[in-house]
Amino acid sequence: DYLKEGTIDLDGNQIADKAASLGGRFDVNVDDDHLTISGSVLTEFSTEFIELIGNIVKNPRFPTESLSRLRDDLLRDLELMKVQPNILASATFRQALYGKSGYGLSLSTPEIINNFSTQMVINSYRKFANPYEMKLYVAGMFDQEILKETIENTFKGWSGNTSDHKIVTFSITGNSSVLNI
């Protein structure tokens, strides 16, 4: 959710407004192994959307003033999850299967959430979100050469932690009037 707070030059509302003005939306999802930034826009705005996603990925702003609200949201979500039988069953199963490893902890704790800091988020993002771990998938109906050039121009110069990482890859396919990333 911190990625939705904005970039160096756009706040979170401006990003959402920009995606909406392109006829689409963007979202951020995290699971045990992946950070996924996804979205879709009308095809004619594909290059602008690639540039918007690139700005979010390369220039995230993690405003300290948002941390308290985001923590409160996480704590509230945790309390809601603790009363849902399917989530409790899944958490118990994962704990039994994976023990005390990261995969065994599917529900956070108030202590973990309260210990989050902006610097922890920045450090984690810098460590794991980089061009050597990125995969970009694009589907829709568009000029592949123009989009490929936009992707290359948007992400060139992005650096990150290079140890034990793979080269950036992207896939472009097209046959619809909506661009999905």
Side-chain angles (χ1 to χ4, degrees):
D1 287 340
Y2 230 143
L3 279 174
K4 293 179 183 179
E5 294 298 305
T7 66
I8 291 169
D9 57 341
L10 298 171
D11 68 29
N13 290 330
Q14 290 170 313
I15 289 174
D17 289 346
K18 177 70 173 173
S21 75
L22 301 175
R25 53 131 190 103
F26 94 100
D27 199 14
V28 177
N29 294 296
V30 178
D31 64 22
D32 292 335
D33 298 308
H34 301 96
L35 162 65
T36 304
I37 300 174
S38 62
S40 62
V41 297
L42 298 171
T43 299
E44 60 262 27
F45 302 116
S46 59
T47 56
E48 292 94 332
F49 192 60
I50 292 289
E51 291 165 351
L52 178 63
I53 296 295
N55 190 14
I56 294 166
V57 168
K58 291 172 34 178
N59 304 305
R61 179 171 48 111
F62 300 109
T64 304
E65 62 271 12
S66 297
L67 182 62
S68 178
R69 178 180 44 81
L70 293 170
R71 270 192 200 138
D72 290 346
D73 290 348
L74 287 170
L75 290 167
R76 192 171 31 261
D77 290 346
L78 178 61
E79 290 305 311
L80 291 171
M81 286 187 267
K82 286 181 176 180
V83 296
Q84 296 181 30
N86 59 331
I87 292 176
L88 293 173
S90 176
T92 301
F93 177 74
R94 287 178 60 150
Q95 174 90 38
L97 193 61
Y98 297 112
K100 294 184 181 194
S101 76
Y103 292 109
L105 179 65
S106 63
L107 282 178
S108 190
T109 66
E111 295 78 26
I112 291 172
I113 294 170
N114 284 320
N115 283 323
F116 281 150
S117 71
T118 301
Q119 193 58 53
M120 288 172 67
V121 172
I122 291 169
N123 293 344
S124 181
Y125 187 79
R126 286 186 181 152
K127 180 177 181 181
F128 295 108
N130 61 70
Y132 307 99
E133 290 288 324
M134 179 184 138
K135 291 186 174 79
L136 177 63
Y137 299 97
V138 181
M141 195 158 115
F142 43 79
D143 184 315
Q144 289 190 14
E145 285 305 311
I146 290 173
L147 203 58
K148 181 178 178 185
E149 182 180 326
T150 300
I151 291 167
E152 289 170 349
N153 288 334
T154 298
F155 291 97
K156 75 178 175 191
W158 182 29
S159 62
N161 181 1
T162 60
S163 63
D164 302 322
H165 296 295
K166 302 174 191 137
I167 293 298
V168 63
T169 60
F170 59 87
S171 172
I172 300 176
T173 59
N175 67 359
S176 75
S177 62
V178 174
L179 173 72
N180 291 300
I181 294 183

